[in-house]
Amino acid sequence: MHVLPPYERILVLTEGHLGVFSSKTAACLLRYRGQDVVGVIDSVAAGTDVRTAISWAPPVPVFANVAAATGSQPQALFIGIAPVGGALPPQMRQHVRDALQAGIDVVSGLHAYLSDDEEFVKAARQSGARLFDLRRPPTPGVIAGGRARGTRCRRVLTVGTDGNVGKMVTAFELKRAAQQRGLDARLAATGQTGIMIEGCGIVVDAMVADFAAGAAEQVVLDIGDCELGIIEGQGSIAHPGYSGVTLALLHGACPDAMILVHHAGRTRYKAEPHDPIPPLGRLCAAYEQAASLLHPARVVAVAINGFDVEERLVQAEMRRIERELKVPVADPITPDVQRLLAAVAE
Amino acid sequence: MHVLPPYERILVLTEGHLGVFSSKTAACLLRYRGQDVVGVIDSVAAGTDVRTAISWAPPVPVFANVAAATGSQPQALFIGIAPVGGALPPQMRQHVRDALQAGIDVVSGLHAYLSDDEEFVKAARQSGARLFDLRRPPTPGVIAGGRARGTRCRRVLTVGTDGNVGKMVTAFELKRAAQQRGLDARLAATGQTGIMIEGCGIVVDAMVADFAAGAAEQVVLDIGDCELGIIEGQGSIAHPGYSGVTLALLHGACPDAMILVHHAGRTRYKAEPHDPIPPLGRLCAAYEQAASLLHPARVVAVAINGFDVEERLVQAEMRRIERELKVPVADPITPDVQRLLAAVAE
């Protein structure tokens, strides 16, 4: 499992991409780990108010380069974007190099490993800075054996109607709400952004298929000694490409309860637009049947992502789903997240 | 996808392990590709009748080493065992080296890649011999998109109640029976032994999890222009460790029909003996529900593996299952394989 040092002074690199969706990784870091961020590195947005681009960000400076940020005594530079194709954009190279040369650790969730890049490896070796590629699978892999069933905590898994619907956001909002109520809640991160926020985890979909369930099992065992264990789901059980990852995670985590996460109004898979998403009731049944093969679990609530959908349509859909599925339905980035928490804590 | 040259003169390396179970890979090669085998390399069994160890083998010589086999003009040496731990046993190194130095290709299904071994790579480079590591994932990976649904052939997938129950054997027996009846039947190989027999395929469980379904899709597309496409399954949908691989393969292959494969009398997972295998009816339902999310398919027959079980108990179990599930039940290595063929061809 990847375990990052407990950084308290992080620079987030967006270089020309600062924005809620253009730098989604950065936006999530600023939202869920803002207290540990001391600045953003972006020569295009340098000097502007970061909250113009990302409204919920803490008021940290946007620096033009790493040298300008020295006064903040940064410990690490996190790559704040997830570019199509998975490689480091050329204009980011100088910042990564500058950080490493200055002895600042670099943390990356990119598909293309920075630790395969000779220039970066050499700079890191010379300064002693560490280079973390979060998508690199930890070795050796483990074959899952249903061991998550033995953890003390109540295990809740976010499951999706598609990829990229808000499973991670739902998990973090739920954890925050639970901790605010005094619950000992922990989060098992299964994607690179989640790991950047939590500080530890394994990227399940980057594992060799035989070991994907084992990776999920390991992250759950790691948090198992708490009251409420919230597990970040991946993919969707009916997705033509990713369903195997979804089931590996489900059977590795053996949740006691699930929250179905849905993007209001989405009827076709984002990556496969010719394929319709099954009705939500059917997906709930599929998740429950799959879970029951190892450890019974119900879908106890639905989290709705209202991004880019008219508010009244979101409300109408939420009421429709609640009538149909007879479970609480709520937008997790609103105070209604309490309804999701109440549903999982039962 | 791995595509091997169409070898007609293969040496099978067992070196001290010749036997139906001690060299299962070799035993399958001798059974399903015996016409292309010119000898076995095994210094311990050298000079003996190979059929003493493997009754169905063609009467090929057992040579002490590669040099002794030169007269057969071998084109390739196939590693005929799957050792625990996945590395090449030390006593096999000389044979691999000898083959490569003699310009003979080497084909391996081991977890530890021979092409990571400097000595072997150097020998291969010097002679021009090729080194195939079948478990090395082809790159780039592909995300499945349900494209297998567009193939012309009728797609049949062998699905298991556990790993290691006989899904591959069932697939090859079915293909043989179909071809004997004049059907244009092809097999999509998804494991290293299947690829050695067929000459092409992808090891699905060795793919990064995101690409496992895509690998299954690719092998099915490759055979799609036939009458009967038989797809080798992997794992089991309720296996704590491997279910994700099983679902990836199911959704990548989008079969029209499934054959459930079961080892008579097995009630617990071989690798997880504390976990009970669900009742067969429950597993059939799970497979059919999972398939229906993308492309409906029924379990049309059950193949029973009777290894190491008293014949009368096997027969009793077969009758019991047939009564319960109301589909034909047969042992695929007997002439009753025709009943399985009849069930899938409907």
Side-chain angles (χ1 to χ4, degrees), chain A residues 230-244:
Chain A
I230 301 162
I231 306 133
E232 177 193 3
Q234 297 290 336
S236 174
I237 203 169
H239 191 288
Y242 300 127
S243 60

Side-chain angles (χ1 to χ4, degrees), chain A residues 135 143-147 149 204-210 212-213 237-245 247-248 251 272 274-275 278 282 286 289 292-294, chain B residues 135 143-147 149 204-210 212-213 237-245 247-248 251 272 274-275 278 282 286 289 292-294:
Chain A
R135 285 192 62 86
I143 307 290
R147 299 171 196 96
R149 291 174 294 196
V204 168
D205 65 35
M207 301 296 292
V208 163
D210 260 355
I237 203 169
H239 191 288
Y242 300 127
S243 60
V245 176
L247 187 63
H251 280 171
E272 296 289 336
H274 49 274
D275 263 293
R282 183 118 183 271
Q289 284 150 8
S292 71
L293 293 169
L294 287 193
Chain B
R135 285 192 64 85
I143 308 290
R147 300 172 196 97
R149 292 174 292 197
V204 169
D205 65 35
M207 301 297 292
V208 162
D210 259 355
I237 204 170
H239 191 289
Y242 299 127
S243 59
V245 175
L247 187 64
H251 280 173
E272 295 289 336
H274 49 275
D275 263 294
R282 183 116 183 272
Q289 284 150 8
S292 70
L293 293 168
L294 286 191

Side-chain angles (χ1 to χ4, degrees), chain B:
Chain B
M1 193 165 83
H2 286 287
V3 180
L4 297 174
Y7 302 120
E8 292 177 342
R9 296 189 301 281
I10 296 168
L11 293 174
V12 181
L13 176 62
T14 59
E15 187 47 37
H17 293 88
L18 182 62
V20 170
F21 302 103
S22 46
S23 66
K24 219 160 84 165
T25 307
C28 290
L29 277 164
L30 289 163
R31 186 177 181 87
Y32 299 115
R33 196 176 179 171
Q35 71 279 5
D36 294 329
V37 177
V38 295
V40 171
I41 305 293
D42 194 309
S43 69
V44 173
T48 66
D49 184 340
V50 66
R51 292 166 296 182
T52 315
I54 298 175
S55 63
W56 54 71
V60 295
V62 182
F63 298 108
N65 49 52
V66 170
T70 311
S72 308
Q73 296 181 293
Q75 297 165 306
L77 178 78
F78 281 33
I79 310 291
I81 68 168
V84 170
L88 186 72
Q91 63 271 29
M92 287 195 167
R93 286 193 69 84
Q94 73 172 64
H95 299 301
V96 172
R97 195 173 45 233
D98 292 348
L100 292 171
Q101 284 171 352
I104 298 167
D105 292 352
V106 172
V107 178
S108 166
L110 300 177
H111 285 68
Y113 301 149
L114 300 190
S115 50
D116 282 347
D117 189 303
E118 278 192 37
E119 182 183 16
F120 295 150
V121 170
K122 191 171 162 194
R125 195 170 25 228
Q126 283 172 346
S127 72
R130 276 167 297 187
L131 199 38
F132 292 95
D133 283 304
L134 299 181
R135 285 192 64 85
R136 196 187 278 281
T139 52
V142 167
I143 308 290
R147 300 172 196 97
R149 292 174 292 197
T151 61
R152 163 185 172 255
C153 67
R154 179 164 173 76
R155 298 177 302 279
V156 180
L157 173 68
T158 57
V159 294
T161 59
D162 191 4
N164 206 22
V165 286
K167 294 184 286 295
M168 186 196 78
V169 165
T170 299
F172 278 105
E173 294 292 344
L174 194 67
K175 181 179 100 154
R176 186 152 70 175
Q179 287 179 341
Q180 279 168 357
R181 285 186 162 261
L183 281 165
D184 176 18
R186 294 195 56 193
L187 189 142
T190 62
Q192 57 266 22
T193 306
I195 297 171
M196 282 182 169
I197 298 168
E198 265 311 284
C200 61
I202 305 177
V203 182
V204 169
D205 65 35
M207 301 297 292
V208 162
D210 259 355
F211 302 120
E217 182 179 84
Q218 285 191 282
V219 292
V220 173
L221 289 175
D222 185 62
I223 65 157
D225 195 29
C226 66
E227 279 185 273
L228 183 67
I230 302 161
I231 305 131
E232 176 192 4
Q234 296 290 337
S236 173
I237 204 170
H239 191 289
Y242 299 127
S243 59
V245 175
T246 305
L247 187 64
L249 215 158
L250 175 60
H251 280 173
C254 294
D256 301 303
M258 295 177 282
I259 296 180
L260 183 71
V261 185
H262 181 56
H263 184 196
R266 192 184 299 186
T267 55
R268 291 177 176 277
Y269 293 104
K270 199 168 171 186
E272 295 289 336
H274 49 275
D275 263 294
I277 292 173
L280 265 56
R282 183 116 183 272
L283 281 171
C284 285
Y287 278 116
E288 293 177 353
Q289 284 150 8
S292 70
L293 293 168
L294 286 191
H295 181 78
R298 305 295 308 281
V299 172
V300 299
V302 177
I304 290 293
N305 171 2
F307 165 61
D308 212 25
V309 183
E310 236 188 278
E311 182 58 27
R312 62 175 186 85
L313 294 176
V314 175
Q315 291 297 327
E317 176 134 346
M318 281 172 44
R319 285 190 300 269
R320 182 186 69 71
I321 295 170
E322 192 149 354
R323 271 196 315 267
E324 179 191 332
L325 300 183
K326 302 184 178 18
V327 295
V329 181
D331 184 338
I333 66 169
T334 72
D336 279 348
V337 67
Q338 299 299 332
R339 303 186 64 221
L340 302 180
L341 180 59
V344 310
E346 282 167 20

Side-chain angles (χ1 to χ4, degrees), chain A residues 12 68 127 129 161 188 219 222 245 265 268 305 311 317 328:
Chain A
V12 181
S127 72
T161 59
V219 292
D222 185 62
V245 176
R268 293 179 175 274
N305 170 2
E311 181 59 23
E317 177 135 346

Side-chain angles (χ1 to χ4, degrees), chain A residues 272-327:
Chain A
E272 296 289 336
H274 49 274
D275 263 293
I277 292 173
L280 266 56
R282 183 118 183 271
L283 282 171
C284 287
Y287 278 116
E288 293 176 355
Q289 284 150 8
S292 71
L293 293 169
L294 287 193
H295 182 78
R298 306 293 310 279
V299 173
V300 299
V302 178
I304 290 294
N305 170 2
F307 165 63
D308 212 26
V309 183
E310 237 188 278
E311 181 59 23
R312 61 176 186 85
L313 294 176
V314 175
Q315 290 297 326
E317 177 135 346
M318 281 172 42
R319 286 190 298 269
R320 182 186 69 71
I321 294 171
E322 191 149 355
R323 271 197 314 268
E324 179 192 331
L325 300 183
K326 301 183 180 18
V327 295

